[in-house]
Short mmCIF file of all heavy atoms in Angstrom, two decimals:
data_model
loop_
_atom_site.label_atom_id
_atom_site.label_comp_id
_atom_site.label_asym_id
_atom_site.label_seq_id
_atom_site.Cartn_x
_atom_site.Cartn_y
_atom_site.Cartn_z
N SER S 1 -8.52 8.68 -19.60
CA SER S 1 -8.12 7.35 -19.17
C SER S 1 -6.79 7.38 -18.43
O SER S 1 -6.59 6.66 -17.44
CB SER S 1 -8.03 6.43 -20.39
OG SER S 1 -7.74 5.10 -20.02
N VAL S 2 -5.86 8.23 -18.89
CA VAL S 2 -4.55 8.35 -18.24
C VAL S 2 -4.70 8.88 -16.82
O VAL S 2 -4.12 8.34 -15.86
CB VAL S 2 -3.63 9.26 -19.07
CG1 VAL S 2 -2.42 9.71 -18.25
CG2 VAL S 2 -3.16 8.54 -20.32
N LEU S 3 -5.47 9.95 -16.65
CA LEU S 3 -5.61 10.56 -15.33
C LEU S 3 -6.32 9.63 -14.35
O LEU S 3 -5.91 9.50 -13.19
CB LEU S 3 -6.36 11.89 -15.46
CG LEU S 3 -5.62 13.00 -16.21
CD1 LEU S 3 -6.50 14.23 -16.32
CD2 LEU S 3 -4.31 13.33 -15.53
N LEU S 4 -7.39 8.99 -14.80
CA LEU S 4 -8.11 8.07 -13.92
C LEU S 4 -7.26 6.83 -13.65
O LEU S 4 -7.16 6.37 -12.50
CB LEU S 4 -9.44 7.67 -14.54
CG LEU S 4 -10.31 6.72 -13.70
CD1 LEU S 4 -10.69 7.37 -12.37
CD2 LEU S 4 -11.57 6.30 -14.47
N GLY S 5 -6.63 6.30 -14.69
CA GLY S 5 -5.84 5.08 -14.52
C GLY S 5 -4.66 5.24 -13.60
O GLY S 5 -4.24 4.28 -12.94
N ALA S 6 -4.10 6.45 -13.54
CA ALA S 6 -2.93 6.68 -12.68
C ALA S 6 -3.27 6.52 -11.21
O ALA S 6 -2.37 6.29 -10.39
CB ALA S 6 -2.36 8.08 -12.94
N ALA S 7 -4.54 6.62 -10.85
CA ALA S 7 -4.94 6.48 -9.45
C ALA S 7 -4.68 5.08 -8.91
O ALA S 7 -4.67 4.88 -7.68
CB ALA S 7 -6.41 6.84 -9.28
N ILE S 8 -4.43 4.10 -9.79
CA ILE S 8 -4.23 2.74 -9.30
C ILE S 8 -2.93 2.62 -8.51
O ILE S 8 -2.83 1.75 -7.62
CB ILE S 8 -4.24 1.72 -10.48
CG1 ILE S 8 -4.46 0.31 -9.94
CG2 ILE S 8 -2.96 1.81 -11.29
CD1 ILE S 8 -5.71 0.13 -9.13
N ALA S 9 -1.95 3.47 -8.77
CA ALA S 9 -0.69 3.37 -8.03
C ALA S 9 -0.88 3.71 -6.56
O ALA S 9 -0.49 2.91 -5.68
CB ALA S 9 0.37 4.27 -8.68
N PRO S 10 -1.45 4.87 -6.19
CA PRO S 10 -1.67 5.13 -4.76
C PRO S 10 -2.70 4.18 -4.14
O PRO S 10 -2.60 3.86 -2.96
CB PRO S 10 -2.15 6.58 -4.73
CG PRO S 10 -2.59 6.91 -6.10
CD PRO S 10 -1.75 6.06 -7.00
N LEU S 11 -3.68 3.73 -4.92
CA LEU S 11 -4.65 2.79 -4.36
C LEU S 11 -3.97 1.46 -4.00
O LEU S 11 -4.25 0.87 -2.95
CB LEU S 11 -5.79 2.54 -5.36
CG LEU S 11 -6.81 3.66 -5.54
CD1 LEU S 11 -7.81 3.31 -6.64
CD2 LEU S 11 -7.55 3.94 -4.24
N THR S 12 -3.09 0.99 -4.85
CA THR S 12 -2.36 -0.26 -4.56
C THR S 12 -1.46 -0.07 -3.35
O THR S 12 -1.33 -0.97 -2.51
CB THR S 12 -1.54 -0.69 -5.79
OG1 THR S 12 -2.40 -0.80 -6.92
CG2 THR S 12 -0.86 -2.02 -5.54
N TRP S 13 -0.80 1.08 -3.27
CA TRP S 13 0.00 1.39 -2.07
C TRP S 13 -0.85 1.32 -0.82
O TRP S 13 -0.41 0.80 0.21
CB TRP S 13 0.61 2.78 -2.25
CG TRP S 13 1.21 3.36 -1.01
CD1 TRP S 13 2.43 3.10 -0.49
CD2 TRP S 13 0.60 4.32 -0.13
NE1 TRP S 13 2.64 3.82 0.66
CE2 TRP S 13 1.54 4.58 0.91
CE3 TRP S 13 -0.62 4.98 -0.11
CZ2 TRP S 13 1.26 5.48 1.94
CZ3 TRP S 13 -0.89 5.88 0.91
CH2 TRP S 13 0.03 6.11 1.92
N LEU S 14 -2.08 1.84 -0.89
CA LEU S 14 -2.96 1.83 0.27
C LEU S 14 -3.34 0.40 0.67
O LEU S 14 -3.35 0.05 1.85
CB LEU S 14 -4.22 2.64 -0.04
CG LEU S 14 -5.14 2.98 1.13
CD1 LEU S 14 -4.41 3.82 2.17
CD2 LEU S 14 -6.38 3.74 0.61
N VAL S 15 -3.64 -0.44 -0.33
CA VAL S 15 -3.95 -1.84 -0.05
C VAL S 15 -2.77 -2.53 0.61
O VAL S 15 -2.91 -3.27 1.60
CB VAL S 15 -4.35 -2.57 -1.35
CG1 VAL S 15 -4.51 -4.07 -1.10
CG2 VAL S 15 -5.64 -2.00 -1.93
N ALA S 16 -1.56 -2.29 0.08
CA ALA S 16 -0.36 -2.94 0.63
C ALA S 16 -0.03 -2.42 2.02
O ALA S 16 0.40 -3.18 2.89
CB ALA S 16 0.82 -2.72 -0.31
N ARG S 17 -0.23 -1.13 2.25
CA ARG S 17 0.07 -0.58 3.57
C ARG S 17 -0.83 -1.19 4.63
O ARG S 17 -0.39 -1.53 5.74
CB ARG S 17 -0.09 0.94 3.56
CG ARG S 17 0.47 1.60 4.80
CD ARG S 17 0.37 3.10 4.75
NE ARG S 17 -1.01 3.55 4.87
CZ ARG S 17 -1.35 4.80 5.22
NH1 ARG S 17 -0.41 5.70 5.44
NH2 ARG S 17 -2.61 5.15 5.31
N GLU S 18 -2.12 -1.37 4.30
CA GLU S 18 -3.02 -2.01 5.27
C GLU S 18 -2.63 -3.46 5.49
O GLU S 18 -2.65 -3.96 6.62
CB GLU S 18 -4.46 -1.92 4.78
CG GLU S 18 -5.45 -2.52 5.76
CD GLU S 18 -6.81 -2.82 5.14
OE1 GLU S 18 -6.87 -3.07 3.91
OE2 GLU S 18 -7.79 -2.83 5.88
N ALA S 19 -2.25 -4.15 4.40
CA ALA S 19 -1.88 -5.56 4.52
C ALA S 19 -0.66 -5.75 5.39
O ALA S 19 -0.62 -6.64 6.26
CB ALA S 19 -1.64 -6.15 3.13
N THR S 20 0.37 -4.93 5.18
CA THR S 20 1.58 -5.06 5.99
C THR S 20 1.34 -4.65 7.44
O THR S 20 2.03 -5.12 8.35
CB THR S 20 2.72 -4.21 5.41
OG1 THR S 20 2.29 -2.84 5.31
CG2 THR S 20 3.11 -4.71 4.04
N GLY S 21 0.37 -3.77 7.67
CA GLY S 21 0.05 -3.36 9.03
C GLY S 21 -0.50 -4.49 9.86
O GLY S 21 -0.47 -4.43 11.11
N ARG S 22 -1.03 -5.53 9.23
CA ARG S 22 -1.55 -6.70 9.95
C ARG S 22 -0.48 -7.75 10.21
O ARG S 22 -0.77 -8.78 10.80
CB ARG S 22 -2.70 -7.33 9.15
CG ARG S 22 -3.87 -6.40 8.88
CD ARG S 22 -4.50 -5.92 10.18
NE ARG S 22 -5.66 -5.09 9.94
CZ ARG S 22 -6.91 -5.52 9.92
NH1 ARG S 22 -7.15 -6.82 10.11
NH2 ARG S 22 -7.90 -4.70 9.70
N MET S 23 0.74 -7.48 9.76
CA MET S 23 1.81 -8.46 9.90
C MET S 23 2.91 -7.89 10.80
O MET S 23 3.10 -6.68 10.88
CB MET S 23 2.39 -8.81 8.52
CG MET S 23 1.32 -9.29 7.53
SD MET S 23 1.98 -9.57 5.87
CE MET S 23 2.99 -11.02 6.14
N THR S 24 3.63 -8.77 11.46
CA THR S 24 4.71 -8.34 12.37
C THR S 24 6.00 -8.16 11.56
O THR S 24 6.95 -8.95 11.67
CB THR S 24 4.91 -9.40 13.47
OG1 THR S 24 5.16 -10.67 12.87
CG2 THR S 24 3.69 -9.48 14.36
N LEU S 25 6.02 -7.10 10.76
CA LEU S 25 7.18 -6.81 9.94
C LEU S 25 7.86 -5.55 10.46
O LEU S 25 7.19 -4.63 10.93
CB LEU S 25 6.78 -6.60 8.48
CG LEU S 25 6.17 -7.78 7.73
CD1 LEU S 25 5.79 -7.35 6.32
CD2 LEU S 25 7.12 -8.95 7.70
N PRO S 26 9.19 -5.46 10.35
CA PRO S 26 9.87 -4.21 10.69
C PRO S 26 9.38 -3.07 9.81
O PRO S 26 8.89 -3.29 8.69
CB PRO S 26 11.35 -4.53 10.42
CG PRO S 26 11.43 -6.02 10.46
CD PRO S 26 10.12 -6.52 9.97
N ALA S 27 9.51 -1.86 10.31
CA ALA S 27 8.99 -0.70 9.59
C ALA S 27 9.59 -0.56 8.20
O ALA S 27 8.90 -0.22 7.24
CB ALA S 27 9.24 0.56 10.42
N GLY S 28 10.89 -0.84 8.08
CA GLY S 28 11.54 -0.72 6.79
C GLY S 28 10.97 -1.67 5.75
O GLY S 28 10.77 -1.31 4.59
N ARG S 29 10.67 -2.88 6.17
CA ARG S 29 10.11 -3.86 5.24
C ARG S 29 8.67 -3.51 4.89
O ARG S 29 8.24 -3.69 3.74
CB ARG S 29 10.18 -5.27 5.85
CG ARG S 29 11.60 -5.84 5.90
CD ARG S 29 11.65 -7.15 6.65
NE ARG S 29 10.80 -8.15 6.03
CZ ARG S 29 10.54 -9.36 6.58
NH1 ARG S 29 11.08 -9.66 7.77
NH2 ARG S 29 9.76 -10.22 5.96
N ARG S 30 7.90 -3.00 5.85
CA ARG S 30 6.54 -2.58 5.54
C ARG S 30 6.53 -1.46 4.49
O ARG S 30 5.75 -1.48 3.54
CB ARG S 30 5.83 -2.10 6.81
CG ARG S 30 5.53 -3.20 7.81
CD ARG S 30 4.42 -2.78 8.77
NE ARG S 30 4.76 -1.55 9.48
CZ ARG S 30 5.37 -1.52 10.66
NH1 ARG S 30 5.72 -2.66 11.24
NH2 ARG S 30 5.62 -0.37 11.26
N THR S 31 7.43 -0.51 4.68
CA THR S 31 7.53 0.59 3.71
C THR S 31 7.94 0.08 2.34
O THR S 31 7.37 0.51 1.31
CB THR S 31 8.54 1.65 4.21
OG1 THR S 31 8.10 2.16 5.46
CG2 THR S 31 8.67 2.78 3.21
#
């Protein structure tokens, strides 16, 4: 459960990175 559950952190990062890519935000704020 620990190993599988830890995958949620990079998955959430991926969701957020795509979301910020659709917005006109400076690179620092997107990161």
